[in-house]
Amino acid sequence: MCGIVGFASRTTPAVGPLVSGLSRLEYRGYDSAGVALESADGIKVYKQAGKVSALDALLARALPEAERAKYTLGIAHTRWATHGLPTTANAHPHVADGGRLALVHNGIIENHAALRAGLEKRGVKFLSQTDTEVLAHLVAAFDKGDFLSAVCDALRRVDGTYGIAAISSRHPGEMVVARKGSPLVIGVGEKDVVVASDVSAIVAYTRQVIYLKDGDVARITPEGIDIHSLDNAPVSREVQEVDWDIGAIEKGGYEHFMLKEIFEQPDALANTIRGRLDPAGGTAILSGLGLSPRELAAVRRLVIVGCGTSLHAGMVGKYLFESLADVPTSPEQAAEFRYSNPIVGPDDWVVALSQSGETADTLAAVRESIRKGALVSALCNVVGSTIAREAGRGVYLHAGPEVSVASTKAFTAQVAALLMMALKLGRTRRLSREAGDRLAAEIARLPELVSAVLARNDEIAGVAERYAGADDMFFIGRGILYPAALEGALKVKEVAYVHAEGYQAAELKHGPIALLSDKTPVVALLADIPGQEKTLGNVQECRARMAPVIGVVTEGDGAAASAVTDALVVPRAGVELSPIVSVVALQLFAYHVARLRGCEIDQPRNLAKSVTVE
Ligand code: AGP
């Protein structure tokens, strides 16, 4: 989704921090970029379709270094088109009040048409098709002298979601920001203030941050931050310390963030697990859940909501909770859930999975579950994210920032966290201490098991080389490995642009097998767990149709290795851990297929890192 950066200083020119901030947000996915700068001469706007580098080149031509010093306040934006084509006219910032006011916006103004009509009746002329420009003119219309009040008056008339930053030459040295449903973070530097839609654009300047909440409106000057509610009452928000540094969001010698984050998984899993296994009790310690054993024992049903990769992790969770805790568990696609008038209530535990903690449909599913009186928890990676805060309780993944659009370490961390939750829930029921102990010991081995898969990176790259030309692929798995098949297919789709379908292995002969030929590789998840022999049967059916089969097989399993065309070998692991070791092999497979196809791996076309629109 779009990215916002704001910068306020008395001495530091704003252009550099604004453009470098946008560069740190590029991975979020966008198609145009722009900046607005304020000085005594008024507001200057530079924007265009294309990459941040094109904007930087435009600025180099249009704004010589000598001139930049006078602009120490500014706002900037990368736009992922929702209303209107990705053109320069539709790029942000948008201006109003004869060019005196500039505004950038993330989110969607649902009632923009009605507001636009009202403004046009008052003689306002629009230059773009966007809902954002409506907001800029609305703020200008309410500006009676106090900029923050003008923004509050305008936003009270808005339906929809927003994260905004605005400046006006009528209010020199002042920036006003506001959020509702689209994140905004304020970085409190020594002498400068940085605002951004994601903390990764701030940590280069400061790790002291304020996470704004929905309904907050803040006036920012280099001297200070003044936060109000929408009805203009003062609000206080605590300053928090970001628990990672700029190095965590740089490539560290890897060609792509995706590869770096795949290789970070042993450390990320160690961080997810650290301090959360209780060998004495053969259970897990997850104090963030804020639930007593009695409350856990009273849970009658689990609903896991998420999107994309998070949904796939939730589908693995079904097998974990049902096998370890005997609790009926239904994974739900968050958008389907939220609009289905879901049947949930006080006996149900709704667990929201979201790496970013900002996915609009997952957030809406959390809010709907709360409205219906269910117990709600969240598993998020981004501390202070909206879903984490609104759920009020849950488990942070501590996997470190995930920059690549393709989610990798978040998936394995989510499954590990769900596994620890299932262990804890199981121990409030029939799971014995001994069985809990054994599982805890297995979970503790996860970093080592994933390292063993990573050690086979070159082998996996070699297999990828043989199939990088395929236009269609199938991924098949049974039981707990079926969601792993879906995740493998999603990775290949989103980074290599190969049409890949994940299927339950048994389902293939109910139709999809009609599509098999020697040009449709089938990736079969064949880890040595119960049910493997049935999937081996499906492999034979595929090979009988000349389809090459790439098997994810357990080390030493000669029968499985000889049944497939090519093997991706993973270490022996218990059934509960098999999705993690299998998916890591598929992450590497997808990465190498994408690399060999020359794809833009960290910024896949049309995709965004956090889908904050519905
Ligand atoms: C996964 O690789 C994709 N980037 C996407 O499916 C993602 O998992 C989905 O948008 C959910 O994001 P979240 O975990 O931040 O809620």
Side-chain angles (χ1 to χ4, degrees), residues 268-299:
L269 284 163
N271 291 334
T272 304
I273 296 163
R274 184 169 295 112
R276 289 172 163 169
L277 292 177
D278 172 11
T283 183
I285 303 163
L286 299 168
S287 46
L289 288 179
L291 295 172
S292 67
R294 185 181 181 80
E295 287 168 315
L296 286 170
V299 167

PDB file of all heavy atoms in Angstrom, residues 268-299:
ATOM      1  N   ALA A 268      15.202 -15.927  13.520  1.00  0.00           N
ATOM      2  CA  ALA A 268      13.843 -15.436  13.766  1.00  0.00           C
ATOM      3  C   ALA A 268      13.060 -16.438  14.607  1.00  0.00           C
ATOM      4  O   ALA A 268      12.397 -16.067  15.586  1.00  0.00           O
ATOM      5  CB  ALA A 268      13.130 -15.189  12.434  1.00  0.00           C
ATOM      6  N   LEU A 269      13.185 -17.718  14.275  1.00  0.00           N
ATOM      7  CA  LEU A 269      12.474 -18.751  15.054  1.00  0.00           C
ATOM      8  C   LEU A 269      13.013 -18.816  16.478  1.00  0.00           C
ATOM      9  O   LEU A 269      12.255 -18.973  17.438  1.00  0.00           O
ATOM     10  CB  LEU A 269      12.609 -20.112  14.355  1.00  0.00           C
ATOM     11  CG  LEU A 269      11.713 -20.289  13.127  1.00  0.00           C
ATOM     12  CD1 LEU A 269      12.198 -21.446  12.275  1.00  0.00           C
ATOM     13  CD2 LEU A 269      10.261 -20.485  13.544  1.00  0.00           C
ATOM     14  N   ALA A 270      14.324 -18.660  16.613  1.00  0.00           N
ATOM     15  CA  ALA A 270      14.896 -18.665  17.973  1.00  0.00           C
ATOM     16  C   ALA A 270      14.295 -17.526  18.791  1.00  0.00           C
ATOM     17  O   ALA A 270      13.954 -17.686  19.967  1.00  0.00           O
ATOM     18  CB  ALA A 270      16.423 -18.539  17.882  1.00  0.00           C
ATOM     19  N   ASN A 271      14.097 -16.368  18.141  1.00  0.00           N
ATOM     20  CA  ASN A 271      13.500 -15.223  18.846  1.00  0.00           C
ATOM     21  C   ASN A 271      12.018 -15.468  19.146  1.00  0.00           C
ATOM     22  O   ASN A 271      11.522 -15.084  20.199  1.00  0.00           O
ATOM     23  CB  ASN A 271      13.655 -13.947  18.022  1.00  0.00           C
ATOM     24  CG  ASN A 271      15.116 -13.496  17.940  1.00  0.00           C
ATOM     25  OD1 ASN A 271      15.903 -13.808  18.844  1.00  0.00           O
ATOM     26  ND2 ASN A 271      15.471 -12.818  16.878  1.00  0.00           N
ATOM     27  N   THR A 272      11.334 -16.118  18.224  1.00  0.00           N
ATOM     28  CA  THR A 272       9.908 -16.404  18.461  1.00  0.00           C
ATOM     29  C   THR A 272       9.738 -17.352  19.641  1.00  0.00           C
ATOM     30  O   THR A 272       8.827 -17.208  20.446  1.00  0.00           O
ATOM     31  CB  THR A 272       9.292 -17.055  17.201  1.00  0.00           C
ATOM     32  OG1 THR A 272       9.500 -16.196  16.086  1.00  0.00           O
ATOM     33  CG2 THR A 272       7.807 -17.328  17.385  1.00  0.00           C
ATOM     34  N   ILE A 273      10.647 -18.316  19.745  1.00  0.00           N
ATOM     35  CA  ILE A 273      10.538 -19.374  20.764  1.00  0.00           C
ATOM     36  C   ILE A 273      11.113 -18.928  22.111  1.00  0.00           C
ATOM     37  O   ILE A 273      10.622 -19.316  23.161  1.00  0.00           O
ATOM     38  CB  ILE A 273      11.280 -20.634  20.264  1.00  0.00           C
ATOM     39  CG1 ILE A 273      10.598 -21.202  19.011  1.00  0.00           C
ATOM     40  CG2 ILE A 273      11.379 -21.688  21.356  1.00  0.00           C
ATOM     41  CD1 ILE A 273      11.462 -22.168  18.226  1.00  0.00           C
ATOM     42  N   ARG A 274      12.109 -18.061  22.067  1.00  0.00           N
ATOM     43  CA  ARG A 274      12.871 -17.695  23.277  1.00  0.00           C
ATOM     44  C   ARG A 274      11.968 -17.371  24.465  1.00  0.00           C
ATOM     45  O   ARG A 274      11.052 -16.553  24.367  1.00  0.00           O
ATOM     46  CB  ARG A 274      13.788 -16.515  22.999  1.00  0.00           C
ATOM     47  CG  ARG A 274      14.687 -16.164  24.204  1.00  0.00           C
ATOM     48  CD  ARG A 274      15.778 -15.190  23.856  1.00  0.00           C
ATOM     49  NE  ARG A 274      16.727 -15.796  22.892  1.00  0.00           N
ATOM     50  CZ  ARG A 274      16.841 -15.371  21.641  1.00  0.00           C
ATOM     51  NH1 ARG A 274      16.106 -14.363  21.211  1.00  0.00           N
ATOM     52  NH2 ARG A 274      17.688 -15.960  20.820  1.00  0.00           N
ATOM     53  N   GLY A 275      12.204 -18.086  25.579  1.00  0.00           N
ATOM     54  CA  GLY A 275      11.497 -17.794  26.823  1.00  0.00           C
ATOM     55  C   GLY A 275      10.063 -18.267  26.847  1.00  0.00           C
ATOM     56  O   GLY A 275       9.310 -17.987  27.781  1.00  0.00           O
ATOM     57  N   ARG A 276       9.661 -19.021  25.832  1.00  0.00           N
ATOM     58  CA  ARG A 276       8.237 -19.386  25.756  1.00  0.00           C
ATOM     59  C   ARG A 276       7.999 -20.886  25.937  1.00  0.00           C
ATOM     60  O   ARG A 276       6.885 -21.355  25.815  1.00  0.00           O
ATOM     61  CB  ARG A 276       7.660 -18.912  24.422  1.00  0.00           C
ATOM     62  CG  ARG A 276       7.532 -17.391  24.368  1.00  0.00           C
ATOM     63  CD  ARG A 276       7.144 -16.886  23.009  1.00  0.00           C
ATOM     64  NE  ARG A 276       6.637 -15.500  23.072  1.00  0.00           N
ATOM     65  CZ  ARG A 276       6.419 -14.739  22.005  1.00  0.00           C
ATOM     66  NH1 ARG A 276       6.658 -15.241  20.799  1.00  0.00           N
ATOM     67  NH2 ARG A 276       5.968 -13.502  22.125  1.00  0.00           N
ATOM     68  N   LEU A 277       9.071 -21.658  26.182  1.00  0.00           N
ATOM     69  CA  LEU A 277       8.871 -23.093  26.441  1.00  0.00           C
ATOM     70  C   LEU A 277       9.124 -23.341  27.911  1.00  0.00           C
ATOM     71  O   LEU A 277      10.070 -22.813  28.486  1.00  0.00           O
ATOM     72  CB  LEU A 277       9.831 -23.913  25.568  1.00  0.00           C
ATOM     73  CG  LEU A 277       9.533 -23.872  24.060  1.00  0.00           C
ATOM     74  CD1 LEU A 277      10.599 -24.649  23.291  1.00  0.00           C
ATOM     75  CD2 LEU A 277       8.135 -24.410  23.768  1.00  0.00           C
ATOM     76  N   ASP A 278       8.258 -24.141  28.499  1.00  0.00           N
ATOM     77  CA  ASP A 278       8.352 -24.416  29.940  1.00  0.00           C
ATOM     78  C   ASP A 278       8.604 -25.914  30.123  1.00  0.00           C
ATOM     79  O   ASP A 278       7.646 -26.697  30.229  1.00  0.00           O
ATOM     80  CB  ASP A 278       7.039 -23.996  30.610  1.00  0.00           C
ATOM     81  CG  ASP A 278       6.988 -24.448  32.078  1.00  0.00           C
ATOM     82  OD1 ASP A 278       8.043 -24.883  32.604  1.00  0.00           O
ATOM     83  OD2 ASP A 278       5.901 -24.377  32.665  1.00  0.00           O
ATOM     84  N   PRO A 279       9.883 -26.318  30.091  1.00  0.00           N
ATOM     85  CA  PRO A 279      10.181 -27.756  30.167  1.00  0.00           C
ATOM     86  C   PRO A 279       9.596 -28.392  31.439  1.00  0.00           C
ATOM     87  O   PRO A 279       9.051 -29.477  31.403  1.00  0.00           O
ATOM     88  CB  PRO A 279      11.714 -27.795  30.177  1.00  0.00           C
ATOM     89  CG  PRO A 279      12.152 -26.473  29.658  1.00  0.00           C
ATOM     90  CD  PRO A 279      11.080 -25.493  30.023  1.00  0.00           C
ATOM     91  N   ALA A 280       9.633 -27.632  32.548  1.00  0.00           N
ATOM     92  CA  ALA A 280       9.153 -28.223  33.821  1.00  0.00           C
ATOM     93  C   ALA A 280       7.695 -28.667  33.677  1.00  0.00           C
ATOM     94  O   ALA A 280       7.315 -29.764  34.064  1.00  0.00           O
ATOM     95  CB  ALA A 280       9.281 -27.190  34.919  1.00  0.00           C
ATOM     96  N   GLY A 281       6.903 -27.815  33.042  1.00  0.00           N
ATOM     97  CA  GLY A 281       5.476 -28.145  32.954  1.00  0.00           C
ATOM     98  C   GLY A 281       5.113 -28.807  31.638  1.00  0.00           C
ATOM     99  O   GLY A 281       3.965 -29.143  31.392  1.00  0.00           O
ATOM    100  N   GLY A 282       6.140 -28.956  30.783  1.00  0.00           N
ATOM    101  CA  GLY A 282       5.841 -29.570  29.472  1.00  0.00           C
ATOM    102  C   GLY A 282       4.809 -28.748  28.725  1.00  0.00           C
ATOM    103  O   GLY A 282       3.895 -29.261  28.095  1.00  0.00           O
ATOM    104  N   THR A 283       4.949 -27.415  28.809  1.00  0.00           N
ATOM    105  CA  THR A 283       3.957 -26.559  28.143  1.00  0.00           C
ATOM    106  C   THR A 283       4.648 -25.307  27.610  1.00  0.00           C
ATOM    107  O   THR A 283       5.868 -25.254  27.509  1.00  0.00           O
ATOM    108  CB  THR A 283       2.827 -26.178  29.129  1.00  0.00           C
ATOM    109  OG1 THR A 283       1.844 -25.411  28.423  1.00  0.00           O
ATOM    110  CG2 THR A 283       3.358 -25.365  30.304  1.00  0.00           C
ATOM    111  N   ALA A 284       3.849 -24.319  27.213  1.00  0.00           N
ATOM    112  CA  ALA A 284       4.413 -23.065  26.684  1.00  0.00           C
ATOM    113  C   ALA A 284       4.011 -21.930  27.608  1.00  0.00           C
ATOM    114  O   ALA A 284       2.976 -21.987  28.280  1.00  0.00           O
ATOM    115  CB  ALA A 284       3.888 -22.812  25.275  1.00  0.00           C
ATOM    116  N   ILE A 285       4.853 -20.887  27.633  1.00  0.00           N
ATOM    117  CA  ILE A 285       4.576 -19.698  28.438  1.00  0.00           C
ATOM    118  C   ILE A 285       4.263 -18.565  27.466  1.00  0.00           C
ATOM    119  O   ILE A 285       5.150 -18.075  26.751  1.00  0.00           O
ATOM    120  CB  ILE A 285       5.813 -19.309  29.283  1.00  0.00           C
ATOM    121  CG1 ILE A 285       6.247 -20.481  30.171  1.00  0.00           C
ATOM    122  CG2 ILE A 285       5.520 -18.060  30.122  1.00  0.00           C
ATOM    123  CD1 ILE A 285       7.650 -20.332  30.716  1.00  0.00           C
ATOM    124  N   LEU A 286       2.995 -18.189  27.403  1.00  0.00           N
ATOM    125  CA  LEU A 286       2.586 -17.138  26.461  1.00  0.00           C
ATOM    126  C   LEU A 286       1.778 -16.095  27.240  1.00  0.00           C
ATOM    127  O   LEU A 286       0.561 -15.986  27.107  1.00  0.00           O
ATOM    128  CB  LEU A 286       1.759 -17.762  25.331  1.00  0.00           C
ATOM    129  CG  LEU A 286       2.506 -18.811  24.491  1.00  0.00           C
ATOM    130  CD1 LEU A 286       1.530 -19.580  23.597  1.00  0.00           C
ATOM    131  CD2 LEU A 286       3.595 -18.157  23.655  1.00  0.00           C
ATOM    132  N   SER A 287       2.497 -15.333  28.062  1.00  0.00           N
ATOM    133  CA  SER A 287       1.803 -14.412  28.983  1.00  0.00           C
ATOM    134  C   SER A 287       1.015 -13.353  28.214  1.00  0.00           C
ATOM    135  O   SER A 287       0.010 -12.847  28.690  1.00  0.00           O
ATOM    136  CB  SER A 287       2.827 -13.743  29.898  1.00  0.00           C
ATOM    137  OG  SER A 287       3.911 -13.293  29.115  1.00  0.00           O
ATOM    138  N   GLY A 288       1.443 -13.074  26.989  1.00  0.00           N
ATOM    139  CA  GLY A 288       0.733 -12.056  26.210  1.00  0.00           C
ATOM    140  C   GLY A 288      -0.708 -12.432  25.920  1.00  0.00           C
ATOM    141  O   GLY A 288      -1.542 -11.591  25.597  1.00  0.00           O
ATOM    142  N   LEU A 289      -1.017 -13.747  26.045  1.00  0.00           N
ATOM    143  CA  LEU A 289      -2.407 -14.155  25.772  1.00  0.00           C
ATOM    144  C   LEU A 289      -3.335 -13.637  26.857  1.00  0.00           C
ATOM    145  O   LEU A 289      -4.531 -13.463  26.644  1.00  0.00           O
ATOM    146  CB  LEU A 289      -2.493 -15.683  25.695  1.00  0.00           C
ATOM    147  CG  LEU A 289      -1.869 -16.347  24.459  1.00  0.00           C
ATOM    148  CD1 LEU A 289      -2.026 -17.868  24.545  1.00  0.00           C
ATOM    149  CD2 LEU A 289      -2.510 -15.820  23.182  1.00  0.00           C
ATOM    150  N   GLY A 290      -2.759 -13.450  28.060  1.00  0.00           N
ATOM    151  CA  GLY A 290      -3.575 -12.910  29.148  1.00  0.00           C
ATOM    152  C   GLY A 290      -4.755 -13.810  29.481  1.00  0.00           C
ATOM    153  O   GLY A 290      -5.831 -13.337  29.860  1.00  0.00           O
ATOM    154  N   LEU A 291      -4.564 -15.114  29.329  1.00  0.00           N
ATOM    155  CA  LEU A 291      -5.672 -16.048  29.599  1.00  0.00           C
ATOM    156  C   LEU A 291      -5.225 -17.063  30.644  1.00  0.00           C
ATOM    157  O   LEU A 291      -4.138 -17.643  30.534  1.00  0.00           O
ATOM    158  CB  LEU A 291      -6.069 -16.781  28.314  1.00  0.00           C
ATOM    159  CG  LEU A 291      -6.649 -15.908  27.189  1.00  0.00           C
ATOM    160  CD1 LEU A 291      -6.806 -16.717  25.910  1.00  0.00           C
ATOM    161  CD2 LEU A 291      -7.981 -15.311  27.617  1.00  0.00           C
ATOM    162  N   SER A 292      -6.075 -17.293  31.615  1.00  0.00           N
ATOM    163  CA  SER A 292      -5.739 -18.266  32.667  1.00  0.00           C
ATOM    164  C   SER A 292      -5.958 -19.673  32.120  1.00  0.00           C
ATOM    165  O   SER A 292      -6.714 -19.850  31.130  1.00  0.00           O
ATOM    166  CB  SER A 292      -6.664 -18.039  33.865  1.00  0.00           C
ATOM    167  OG  SER A 292      -7.993 -18.388  33.486  1.00  0.00           O
ATOM    168  N   PRO A 293      -5.384 -20.693  32.745  1.00  0.00           N
ATOM    169  CA  PRO A 293      -5.652 -22.067  32.315  1.00  0.00           C
ATOM    170  C   PRO A 293      -7.150 -22.351  32.309  1.00  0.00           C
ATOM    171  O   PRO A 293      -7.675 -23.002  31.413  1.00  0.00           O
ATOM    172  CB  PRO A 293      -4.918 -22.902  33.366  1.00  0.00           C
ATOM    173  CG  PRO A 293      -3.812 -22.031  33.831  1.00  0.00           C
ATOM    174  CD  PRO A 293      -4.358 -20.631  33.789  1.00  0.00           C
ATOM    175  N   ARG A 294      -7.850 -21.790  33.282  1.00  0.00           N
ATOM    176  CA  ARG A 294      -9.307 -22.019  33.362  1.00  0.00           C
ATOM    177  C   ARG A 294     -10.001 -21.448  32.116  1.00  0.00           C
ATOM    178  O   ARG A 294     -10.860 -22.084  31.504  1.00  0.00           O
ATOM    179  CB  ARG A 294      -9.848 -21.367  34.637  1.00  0.00           C
ATOM    180  CG  ARG A 294     -11.332 -21.623  34.897  1.00  0.00           C
ATOM    181  CD  ARG A 294     -11.791 -20.927  36.178  1.00  0.00           C
ATOM    182  NE  ARG A 294     -13.201 -21.183  36.431  1.00  0.00           N
ATOM    183  CZ  ARG A 294     -13.663 -22.322  36.984  1.00  0.00           C
ATOM    184  NH1 ARG A 294     -12.804 -23.280  37.330  1.00  0.00           N
ATOM    185  NH2 ARG A 294     -14.950 -22.507  37.164  1.00  0.00           N
ATOM    186  N   GLU A 295      -9.605 -20.234  31.737  1.00  0.00           N
ATOM    187  CA  GLU A 295     -10.230 -19.615  30.547  1.00  0.00           C
ATOM    188  C   GLU A 295      -9.866 -20.407  29.291  1.00  0.00           C
ATOM    189  O   GLU A 295     -10.689 -20.638  28.419  1.00  0.00           O
ATOM    190  CB  GLU A 295      -9.744 -18.165  30.413  1.00  0.00           C
ATOM    191  CG  GLU A 295     -10.346 -17.216  31.437  1.00  0.00           C
ATOM    192  CD  GLU A 295      -9.632 -15.859  31.455  1.00  0.00           C
ATOM    193  OE1 GLU A 295      -8.374 -15.856  31.434  1.00  0.00           O
ATOM    194  OE2 GLU A 295     -10.330 -14.827  31.483  1.00  0.00           O
ATOM    195  N   LEU A 296      -8.623 -20.878  29.228  1.00  0.00           N
ATOM    196  CA  LEU A 296      -8.206 -21.664  28.063  1.00  0.00           C
ATOM    197  C   LEU A 296      -8.979 -22.968  28.010  1.00  0.00           C
ATOM    198  O   LEU A 296      -9.448 -23.408  26.971  1.00  0.00           O
ATOM    199  CB  LEU A 296      -6.701 -21.948  28.132  1.00  0.00           C
ATOM    200  CG  LEU A 296      -5.790 -20.762  27.817  1.00  0.00           C
ATOM    201  CD1 LEU A 296      -4.338 -21.118  28.164  1.00  0.00           C
ATOM    202  CD2 LEU A 296      -5.886 -20.349  26.355  1.00  0.00           C
ATOM    203  N   ALA A 297      -9.147 -23.580  29.194  1.00  0.00           N
ATOM    204  CA  ALA A 297      -9.853 -24.870  29.229  1.00  0.00           C
ATOM    205  C   ALA A 297     -11.318 -24.699  28.833  1.00  0.00           C
ATOM    206  O   ALA A 297     -11.954 -25.634  28.370  1.00  0.00           O
ATOM    207  CB  ALA A 297      -9.734 -25.469  30.621  1.00  0.00           C
ATOM    208  N   ALA A 298     -11.843 -23.477  28.980  1.00  0.00           N
ATOM    209  CA  ALA A 298     -13.272 -23.250  28.689  1.00  0.00           C
ATOM    210  C   ALA A 298     -13.522 -23.014  27.204  1.00  0.00           C
ATOM    211  O   ALA A 298     -14.664 -23.031  26.749  1.00  0.00           O
ATOM    212  CB  ALA A 298     -13.766 -22.044  29.484  1.00  0.00           C
ATOM    213  N   VAL A 299     -12.461 -22.827  26.427  1.00  0.00           N
ATOM    214  CA  VAL A 299     -12.642 -22.543  24.993  1.00  0.00           C
ATOM    215  C   VAL A 299     -13.303 -23.740  24.302  1.00  0.00           C
ATOM    216  O   VAL A 299     -12.864 -24.872  24.464  1.00  0.00           O
ATOM    217  CB  VAL A 299     -11.273 -22.236  24.321  1.00  0.00           C
ATOM    218  CG1 VAL A 299     -11.388 -22.249  22.802  1.00  0.00           C
ATOM    219  CG2 VAL A 299     -10.759 -20.892  24.814  1.00  0.00           C
TER     220      VAL A 299
END
